Amino acid sequence: MSAAQAGPVLPDGVFSTDPATVDAHRLDRSGWVPEGQPLGVALAESVADVRAVLRHAHATGTPVVVRGAGTGLSGGAGATDGSIVLDLSRMNRITEISAADQLAVVQPGVITADLDRAAGAYGLRYAPDPASAAISTIGGNIATNAGGLRCAKYGVTRDSVLSLDVVLADGDLVTTGHRTVKDVTGYDLTGLFTGSEGTLGVIVGATVKLRPRPARTATLAAYFDDVASAAAAVTAIGAAGVQPAVAELLDAATLAAVEDANGRRPDRPAGAFLLVQTDGPAAEAEAADVHAVLGAHTARVAAAGDEAEGERLLAVRRQALPALERRGRVLIEDVAVPRSRLAEAVEEIQRISQETAVPVFTLAHAADGNLHPIVVVERDRELDEDVWAAADAIFTMALALGGTLTGEHGIGVLKRKWLGADLGERNLALQRRLRAVFDPTGILNPGKAV
Amino acid sequence: MSAAQAGPVLPDGVFSTDPATVDAHRLDRSGWVPEGQPLGVALAESVADVRAVLRHAHATGTPVVVRGAGTGLSGGAGATDGSIVLDLSRMNRITEISAADQLAVVQPGVITADLDRAAGAYGLRYAPDPASAAISTIGGNIATNAGGLRCAKYGVTRDSVLSLDVVLADGDLVTTGHRTVKDVTGYDLTGLFTGSEGTLGVIVGATVKLRPRPARTATLAAYFDDVASAAAAVTAIGAAGVQPAVAELLDAATLAAVEDANGRRPDRPAGAFLLVQTDGPAAEAEAADVHAVLGAHTARVAAAGDEAEGERLLAVRRQALPALERRGRVLIEDVAVPRSRLAEAVEEIQRISQETAVPVFTLAHAADGNLHPIVVVERDRELDEDVWAAADAIFTMALALGGTLTGEHGIGVLKRKWLGADLGERNLALQRRLRAVFDPTGILNPGKAV
């Protein structure tokens, strides 16, 4: 679609072919650079705009790449050659917050942290908290079924979505789900659109659950001699019947990077760091239980006496990614394994890093068995064969442990190669036929996801 | 398929055309009586048996009606004319319980309460607790996305399913999901099969989440002057930041039926009864908060001092359905509305009952806005036009309040008529095309669900 072609179907100011605008909408944060150039960017301001774009794209067979804030880490929002980029960031209104129904109705471009903040005025919160929450949109979070730290207790994005307004490939608008907590009327299209990475339809509105904002939060941190002890402690927390709100693990290399960034050289470097938060009415009692459990696995446990101390303990986790980014270009990987295989997975990643001589640092949402192996290369270095060999070994290891390719970032373009190995060919074929039902002409994010 | 035809494809003893066996497998508990007769019953003992049945059915175009314990309330498992009934109740083994991964791997015929009991030996529980838990199967629970009392805190069946083994319409076997807590590899087929009422595939295995068994439970009961006060109290409990594990409401008519069955005639009959349970490490503190909230809406609150007292308070709720079944034939309806519309919904049901002269008693999972209007007619009376007129008015009312046709029982055959009004025609058409991807020849539970 040229700007001239776009004239009749898109309102003034909605469609842009300005090179600077196009350039600002080509990439996500995965590091993946698509070949070629998109036709232009539709900066939709309404459902009507989105429908007009889709009707036009459907009639002309033009690919559409939907985009929230472009913070994705798998290439899902990378603008492929000849596509229209459909940017929803201007549709950023919180339409309603209902304290009685404990839900919010939002447009897709609302920044996730803004929603959480707005819910706070009602004593509520939006629980899913991807690390990108301050910059990513709720629409993007839903399209990728984003995770986060608090998933340990509150589940992933899908667990918070009640209903969606979706513009289909031909421009028709459907609503899935209901404004009810329970709903078994028909198939779970809400769950199907959640995590579909822009391939089944365009999410133009969402009704999401809010939850009571916990009155209390307690924070603990512990240093362990090795990852196996830290992982055993996480399992023991679960066995003690405690559901932590947050349980974050740093491996030795990541912890050393944080210490180094802070100009510290500990006499006795630890083999792993674990941050645990409990929340809710029994936060302190649960934290005391966690403290006892951790104490059986290491002597180095610190419990925050107040919020400021809690923030100091959290800082180690918060500084991990910035500390790695100081060292070079990062590729943030994402695999998930059964919780009981966490230690093996971290140890295998360390072994792979040594064998391939590719530096890999590991952060993990420990209670979920969701690991982020982070590859760090020189700043100007391409992600070359060695990097992908290490990534390949990590994916293969995750599958061998009964895990999966991606816990919360999605397939995008970067993981398509391994999809068949993970899902099996019959499952994958089924998913592709399902995709064709929603998008028979193949205009929605072609070449991405399944 | 005649028994002779079944010979080559089904092992000895698996397929039965014995009239008594067939008769025992014709109905579910909805009261719906299908016309005609099924060909026979396949009493599958293995995945291989199920695959053989499906391959045969696919090749011959024979309808297959899958069945667990036949406790469904919407006609979904009713055996239609010329179908093979595929009974999975013999596949009833708990394959694994993992304390470290907090999950169980089960065959579909496991009785739900048996799974919960087995998990108890590990300090865990299977949270979803449909009222039928003691007699229904986990496979049937998954196929209908069953709800229950504890959904208020722990979500519906779908929220507890991690992975499924599914035999497709042509006999192929696929696995969906993973043994991981987080998983965004491909579309959410696990969620799609859950609640698909035997129309997309046959669930032959499941990996389900287990949760720590709460060490503490506290129980309260309250009598209110009217439903509006009881519903306001439920909303106020949420506003106080408490997430009750159970919040069950009985309307005046249901409460009177219980009192009557117990031979009591209270001086001052109540307008509504509410049972609330809290659980977890702060159960008592939360119960104290609930007590204070309830006290602002009624003077008649009782808090259980111990487990035996808790059981006595629970008895009122437990006796509700038996008390109604003493009065005649019951049709257990099931609608859901946004939580804030609960009182309106109960009052509308009472109005509809009066206007149509059809006796309707209401039980509700109050914290979920999930209502069970229960029609009681004379024991030998057919569910005639008057009954369906009342049901129609109730469904229409639920939709008008922003609710849905069914919160936890499913569409089956009894609610198909209203599907278009609920979902919209485009959404329904999409669901039907999606169904055709999984079952192109239409052999899986034809005439049911979407």
Side-chain angles (χ1 to χ4, degrees):
Chain A
M1 182 166 62
S2 71
Q5 278 179 297
V9 290
L10 294 175
D12 277 355
V14 170
F15 191 73
S16 170
T17 56
D18 166 57
T21 303
V22 170
D23 212 51
H25 289 79
R26 278 188 68 222
L27 308 181
D28 63 11
R29 299 202 172 203
S30 64
W32 180 66
V33 180
E35 288 177 23
Q37 283 288 331
L39 296 176
V41 181
L43 295 150
E45 291 176 354
S46 67
V47 173
D49 286 352
V50 174
R51 297 186 68 179
V53 169
L54 269 290
R55 274 195 295 260
H56 175 84
H58 190 251
T60 57
T62 311
V64 175
V65 179
V66 187
R67 180 184 184 89
T71 59
L73 294 167
S74 65
T80 43
D81 193 42
S83 65
I84 298 173
V85 177
L86 176 53
D87 180 306
L88 303 181
S89 60
R90 290 185 180 178
M91 294 174 64
N92 63 353
R93 210 154 52 81
I94 298 174
T95 311
E96 181 194 353
I97 291 181
S98 166
D101 284 332
Q102 297 195 340
L103 59 78
V105 182
V106 296
Q107 292 186 334
V110 170
I111 297 294
T112 306
D114 289 348
L115 170 60
D116 187 35
R117 202 171 302 119
Y122 298 81
L124 299 170
R125 80 173 176 196
Y126 176 68
D129 63 337
S132 62
I135 51 172
S136 63
T137 64
I138 185 77
N141 288 183
I142 295 170
T144 55
N145 189 22
L149 277 63
R150 299 196 292 234
C151 298
K153 185 167 180 176
Y154 298 101
V156 293
T157 297
R158 184 178 286 122
D159 298 309
S160 285
V161 182
L162 293 171
S163 165
L164 294 173
D165 296 324
V166 180
V167 175
L168 300 174
D170 61 6
D172 258 18
L173 177 68
V174 296
T175 297
T176 72
H178 292 86
R179 192 191 168 100
T180 58
V181 184
K182 282 184 181 163
D183 177 5
V184 291
T185 301
Y187 301 134
D188 182 22
L189 295 190
T190 308
L192 193 63
F193 282 114
T194 304
S196 63
E197 302 191 43
T199 65
L200 300 183
V202 181
I203 295 162
V204 292
T207 302
V208 296
K209 282 187 205 175
L210 303 175
R211 294 166 201 269
R213 211 167 190 88
R216 297 186 170 81
T217 300
T219 306
L220 302 104
Y223 293 83
F224 296 84
D225 290 341
D226 50 45
V227 166
S229 310
V234 174
T235 302
I237 291 169
V242 176
Q243 182 120 45
V246 169
E248 296 290 305
L249 180 113
L250 275 62
D251 77 346
T254 311
L255 186 56
V258 172
E259 301 283 17
D260 191 49
N262 288 328
R264 287 197 298 257
R265 283 198 188 281
D267 297 336
R268 186 185 151 207
F273 171 84
L274 185 67
L275 179 94
V276 179
Q277 285 195 319
T278 57
D279 70 11
E284 286 88 359
E286 289 183 306
D289 290 347
V290 170
H291 200 147
V293 169
L294 294 174
H297 295 83
T298 179
R300 292 183 277 172
V301 185
D306 56 33
E307 211 174 306
E309 265 182 58
E311 282 301 311
R312 275 198 293 281
L313 299 180
L314 258 170
V316 176
R317 168 63 180 82
R318 288 231 176 88
Q319 290 163 1
L321 194 55
L324 298 176
E325 284 171 337
R326 280 168 51 130
R327 298 185 163 214
R329 175 176 177 180
V330 300
L331 171 70
I332 306 176
E333 267 311 332
D334 168 49
V335 294
V337 298
R339 285 188 274 218
S340 61
R341 315 302 290 270
L342 179 69
E344 281 165 272
V346 177
E347 289 161 3
E348 281 293 295
I349 292 165
Q350 292 171 344
R351 190 187 57 71
I352 291 164
S353 175
Q354 278 167 8
E355 282 185 14
T356 59
V358 172
V360 188
F361 301 76
T362 300
L363 280 174
H365 307 307
D368 289 334
N370 183 195
L371 299 101
H372 295 307
I374 300 175
V375 177
V376 182
V377 297
E378 292 90 70
R379 203 162 302 282
D380 298 320
R381 179 174 156 192
E382 286 300 302
L383 298 177
D384 58 20
E385 268 177 38
D386 288 354
V387 170
W388 288 113
D392 180 87
I394 290 170
F395 302 153
T396 304
M397 171 279 296
L399 299 188
L401 292 179
T404 186
L405 288 177
T406 171
E408 55 183 22
H409 293 172
I411 296 295
V413 289
L414 298 183
K415 290 189 174 169
R416 294 192 94 206
K417 187 179 153 189
W418 293 271
L419 259 178
D422 187 329
L423 298 176
E425 291 304 331
R426 181 70 207 263
N427 182 325
L428 183 54
L430 198 57
Q431 300 208 18
R432 288 181 174 153
R433 284 168 59 207
L434 194 151
R435 177 175 182 167
V437 164
F438 287 84
D439 181 22
T441 62
I443 60 168
L444 294 175
N445 226 2
K448 314 281 182 63
V450 310
Chain B
M1 181 165 65
S2 70
Q5 278 177 297
V9 291
L10 294 173
D12 277 356
V14 170
F15 191 74
S16 170
T17 55
D18 165 57
T21 303
V22 171
D23 211 51
H25 289 79
R26 278 188 68 222
L27 308 182
D28 63 11
R29 297 204 174 202
S30 63
W32 179 66
V33 181
E35 287 177 24
Q37 283 288 331
L39 296 176
V41 180
L43 294 150
E45 290 174 355
S46 68
V47 173
D49 286 352
V50 174
R51 297 186 68 178
V53 169
L54 269 289
R55 274 195 294 262
H56 175 84
H58 191 251
T60 56
T62 311
V64 175
V65 178
V66 188
R67 181 186 184 86
T71 60
L73 293 168
S74 65
T80 44
D81 193 43
S83 65
I84 299 173
V85 176
L86 176 54
D87 181 305
L88 303 180
S89 61
R90 290 185 181 178
M91 293 174 66
N92 62 354
R93 210 155 51 82
I94 298 174
T95 312
E96 181 195 353
I97 290 181
S98 165
D101 284 332
Q102 298 193 341
L103 59 76
V105 182
V106 296
Q107 292 186 333
V110 170
I111 298 293
T112 305
D114 289 349
L115 169 60
D116 187 36
R117 201 172 301 118
Y122 298 81
L124 299 170
R125 79 172 175 196
Y126 176 68
D129 62 337
S132 62
I135 52 172
S136 63
T137 65
I138 186 77
N141 288 183
I142 295 170
T144 54
N145 189 22
L149 276 62
R150 299 196 291 235
C151 298
K153 185 168 182 177
Y154 298 101
V156 293
T157 296
R158 184 179 286 123
D159 298 309
S160 284
V161 182
L162 293 171
S163 166
L164 294 173
D165 296 325
V166 179
V167 175
L168 299 174
D170 60 6
D172 257 19
L173 177 68
V174 296
T175 297
T176 72
H178 292 86
R179 192 192 167 97
T180 58
V181 184
K182 280 182 182 164
D183 177 5
V184 292
T185 301
Y187 302 133
D188 181 22
L189 295 191
T190 307
L192 194 62
F193 281 115
T194 304
S196 64
E197 302 190 44
T199 65
L200 300 183
V202 181
I203 296 161
V204 293
T207 302
V208 297
K209 283 187 203 173
L210 303 176
R211 295 167 200 268
R213 212 169 188 87
R216 297 187 168 81
T217 300
T219 306
L220 303 103
Y223 293 82
F224 296 83
D225 290 341
D226 49 46
V227 166
S229 311
V234 174
T235 302
I237 291 168
V242 176
Q243 184 120 45
V246 169
E248 296 290 304
L249 180 111
L250 275 60
D251 77 345
T254 311
L255 186 56
V258 173
E259 301 282 19
D260 191 51
N262 288 327
R264 287 197 297 258
R265 285 201 185 277
D267 296 335
R268 187 184 149 207
F273 171 84
L274 186 67
L275 179 95
V276 179
Q277 284 195 320
T278 56
D279 70 12
E284 286 88 358
E286 290 184 306
D289 289 347
V290 171
H291 200 147
V293 168
L294 295 175
H297 294 83
T298 178
R300 292 182 277 172
V301 185
D306 57 33
E307 211 173 307
E309 265 182 56
E311 282 301 313
R312 274 198 293 281
L313 298 181
L314 259 170
V316 175
R317 167 63 180 83
R318 289 231 177 86
Q319 291 164 358
L321 194 56
L324 297 177
E325 284 170 337
R326 281 168 49 133
R327 296 185 166 215
R329 176 177 177 180
V330 300
L331 171 69
I332 305 177
E333 266 312 331
D334 169 48
V335 294
V337 297
R339 283 187 275 216
S340 60
R341 315 302 291 270
L342 179 69
E344 282 164 272
V346 177
E347 288 161 3
E348 281 293 294
I349 292 165
Q350 292 171 344
R351 190 186 57 72
I352 290 163
S353 176
Q354 277 168 8
E355 282 184 15
T356 58
V358 172
V360 188
F361 301 75
T362 300
L363 279 175
H365 307 308
D368 288 335
N370 184 195
L371 298 101
H372 295 308
I374 301 174
V375 177
V376 182
V377 297
E378 290 90 68
R379 204 163 300 283
D380 297 320
R381 178 174 155 191
E382 287 301 302
L383 299 177
D384 57 21
E385 267 176 40
D386 288 353
V387 170
W388 288 112
D392 179 87
I394 290 170
F395 301 153
T396 304
M397 172 278 296
L399 299 188
L401 293 179
T404 187
L405 288 177
T406 170
E408 55 182 21
H409 292 172
I411 296 295
V413 289
L414 297 185
K415 289 189 175 170
R416 293 191 94 205
K417 187 178 152 189
W418 292 271
L419 258 179
D422 187 328
L423 298 176
E425 290 304 332
R426 181 70 206 262
N427 181 324
L428 183 55
L430 198 57
Q431 299 208 19
R432 287 181 175 154
R433 284 168 58 207
L434 194 153
R435 177 174 182 168
V437 164
F438 288 83
D439 182 21
T441 62
I443 60 168
L444 295 175
N445 225 2
K448 313 279 182 66
V450 310

